[in-house]
Every structure is written in structure tokens, then in C-alpha cells.
Amino acid sequence: MTRQPGNWLTALACATAMVAGAAAAQNVKVTSLGTHDGEFCAQDRALIFEDPNGTRILYDPGRSVMGGEDPRLGKIDIILVSHMHGDHAGNAHVAKLNDGECGNPPTPVKDTPNSNAVNIALARKAKMVTGGEMQAFFAAKLAANGGSAGDSILARFGGTRTVGGVKISTVNALHSNGLDPDYIGGDLAEAMKKAGFSGYVGEATGYVVRFTNGLVAYLSGDTGMVSEMETVVRNHYHANFSVMNIGDNFTTGPTEAAYVINDLVKPATVMASHANEAATQGGKVKAGTKTEAFMKASKVPVIVPLSGKAYELDGHGKCVAGC
Ligand SMILES: [Zn+2]
């Protein structure tokens, strides 16, 4: 009789250890698809997130992904586009990797009028999840090019779409989102260009992506500082990981980005993005860069996304491999 509680506790300990072992494999993998292998370069925005359930998400393909046939893509289930600017939706892209300088890679392959994002969605049969009128724009592009309008899914502010088991919500970004007339083409585009006028496709957005292992990722997109980073992203969604744009001039710079991370969102880990500089050489962060300034100012660990390297995040936002 006296052994029974002991046996039961031993069994419980074994079960707990097994659960812990299983949990260790339940990580989200994040990989940058940049212009130069092993570096963090000026045009790098594109990230692939892989949920433990196998769902793969491409965020802001921009100009560093070599269209739908880029061999680094693999299976893509979902494409997220924060806004329509050419370096995010992709108005052109690199012809090959490691071409030219990390700080200013050539992007000779034109992607207008479709966008790199649409061409990848068509080639990979991926769904596009965006906020506002971008959804209608992408639906029309997909339908006009042999795809399905229904693959462009709307996640307007406050709503959530679950795709492939992953919950996707949009949050506001303080930015602009004018559609370059080159995405429209024809006489209308010429008239718009002459008038200095861009198309309306709703507001720029950030994303909150809730993965099946508990990771809650805030993807800032291009944005200034907004109070919703605390009241919505932190207080409601409880983001425990953030991808933060640090490039300055067009979006938060290193100081502002560090304030967002340290005082508003307070994630466990942050990944730097959109630095608009050759941030690394030989995979090491260069002195005097915005990336270095951000790392010094951030109170939480900073991941520098070296292209092609996989970083693994657990359900608490902690980087547990590749860092
Ligand atoms: Zn922008």
C-alpha cells in the first residue's frame, strides 16, 4: 500500500517529462529570406514563420524574394502584406542572391503591375491575409491572373482570421499606404502620376499572429509610435515576441523602436527588421549601424535576422535555438 503513492508519483513525473519533451519540439521557426546569405541587408524584410503544425507564413516578401520560384520558399500557405509600398508588397526583386552590395542590392526584375506578393501567391497557391481595401485589390489581381479571388482574405481591425490553425489579426500602423500607379497601369496610371496621385487601398497595418504553441508575434510593419502598441498589442493580445522595424526616416528609428519594445509592447524577444542598411558583415553586426544602436537601447534580447538562418521561438517568446 505504501508503494502506491510513490509509483503514482513516479508515473506522474515520467508523464510530466514526456510533456516537457514534446513541448520542446513545439517551436515556431523564423527564417529571413534576405538578399545576401548569412547577412542582414538593406532590402531585407521577408520572413517565413513555420508553426509547429506545419503551416508556413510569408510576411512582407518585398524585393529580396526571387518571385514565386525562389527555391527558399518551399510550401507557403499564407502571405501577409503590411502595406503596399514597393519594398513590402514588392514592386521589383533581385535577380540572384548575393548580387551587388548588401547596402544597395540591384533589383532589376519588375513585379508591377502584379506585385511580388501576388506572383508568389499565384505560384504557391497561398492565401493572402490583409486588412482594409488591400484585400479587394489583391482579390482582383489574383482573379485577373488565373487565381481565386477568395484566396484574398480580409482581417479588418479587431477581427481575427484563423488559417491553417494560426490566428491572424491586424492592428493599426501609423504610416501611409498609397498605391503606386504602376500597379494599375494604362492611361489612368499616367494621369495619376502626372497629378502626383496614388490609389487608395485602405490603411497600412501591423499584424498580431497567434501560433499554436502559444507564441504571440507582433509584426509592426512600417509605423510610428502609437498608444495601441500598449493598449491593444500588449494589454489585449499579450504579444510575447515582436518583429520591429528600426530603419528611421520612413518608420520608427532605433531609439523609437526601443521605446516601443521597452515601454509599450514588452515582449520577451524582439527581431530587428527593415534597417535599410548593410547591418552585418560576415554575419556580425557592424559598429555604428542603426541595428547596433537598437541592440544597445533594447532591454530585451534582440535577434538580428541573418538571411537563411532559422531561429526557433518557444510559446513564451523565448529564442531557444539559432540565437
Ligand atoms: Zn512603407
Side-chain angles (χ1 to χ4, degrees):
M1 287 294 284
T2 52
R3 290 180 62 85
Q4 280 179 358
N7 288 345
W8 190 83
L9 282 172
T10 304
L12 182 67
C14 283
T16 305
M18 283 167 69
V19 169
Q26 296 294 302
N27 299 326
V28 171
K29 276 189 207 157
V30 188
T31 310
S32 162
L33 303 188
T35 60
H36 290 64
D37 294 326
E39 307 286 5
F40 179 32
C41 293
Q43 287 291 329
D44 295 5
R45 286 105 175 88
L47 299 172
I48 288 181
F49 292 84
E50 185 176 314
D51 190 272
N53 75 7
T55 297
R56 284 165 63 86
I57 301 172
L58 174 64
Y59 166 56
D60 275 358
R63 299 171 177 140
S64 64
V65 179
M66 297 178 289
E69 302 310 315
D70 190 320
R72 301 174 298 174
L73 284 171
K75 177 180 79 106
I76 297 293
D77 302 293
I78 303 162
I79 298 176
L80 307 178
V81 182
S82 63
H83 65 294
M84 286 308 305
H85 290 163
D87 56 326
H88 293 261
N91 58 355
H93 65 261
V94 296
K96 54 185 176 180
L97 297 181
N98 309 309
D99 193 17
E101 301 205 354
C102 173
N104 189 24
T107 54
V109 185
K110 266 199 176 314
D111 285 314
T112 51
N114 277 0
S115 78
N116 203 9
V118 165
N119 289 337
I120 296 167
L122 290 165
R124 299 284 149 167
K125 301 189 176 5
K127 301 202 182 313
M128 306 182 79
V129 181
T130 54
E133 283 80 351
M134 284 188 284
Q135 180 268 334
F137 172 77
F138 285 132
K141 286 289 185 196
L142 291 174
N145 290 280
S148 166
D151 282 345
S152 179
I153 297 168
L154 176 64
R156 193 169 278 150
F157 303 118
T160 296
R161 294 287 183 174
T162 302
V163 185
V166 178
K167 292 179 177 168
I168 301 166
S169 311
T170 54
V171 291
N172 65 328
L174 188 61
H175 196 56
S176 61
N177 196 24
L179 184 78
D180 189 315
D182 284 343
Y183 289 112
I184 300 168
D187 293 343
L188 177 60
E190 290 312 312
M192 288 172 75
K193 279 189 204 178
K194 210 169 163 187
F197 192 73
S198 60
Y200 173 79
V201 280
E203 294 183 56
T205 61
Y207 286 94
V208 172
V209 184
R210 286 171 280 176
F211 293 93
T212 61
N213 73 336
L215 185 77
V216 182
Y218 166 54
L219 317 178
S220 76
D222 280 358
T223 184
M225 295 168 284
V226 292
S227 55
E228 287 84 348
M229 290 163 167
E230 180 177 25
T231 56
V232 177
V233 175
R234 179 181 161 211
N235 291 352
H236 177 72
Y237 290 112
H238 308 293
N240 53 23
F241 173 66
S242 182
V243 173
M244 193 68 215
N245 291 17
I246 66 165
D248 213 347
N249 299 321
F250 311 106
T251 180
T252 43
T255 309
E256 294 81 6
Y259 169 69
V260 169
I261 295 305
N262 296 339
D263 294 279
L264 302 183
V265 180
K266 299 187 178 181
T269 307
V270 61
M271 176 175 274
S273 187
H274 196 286
N276 287 346
E277 64 182 2
T280 62
Q281 191 165 26
K284 303 275 179 240
V285 174
K286 288 159 69 175
T289 57
K290 289 176 275 188
T291 302
E292 185 197 47
F294 177 63
M295 292 172 84
K296 284 182 176 168
S298 172
K299 290 177 185 164
V300 308
V302 176
I303 301 174
V304 176
L306 302 179
S307 182
K309 191 171 175 189
Y311 303 89
E312 293 191 27
L313 296 146
D314 70 11
H316 304 288
K318 191 169 176 239
C319 187
V320 291
C323 301

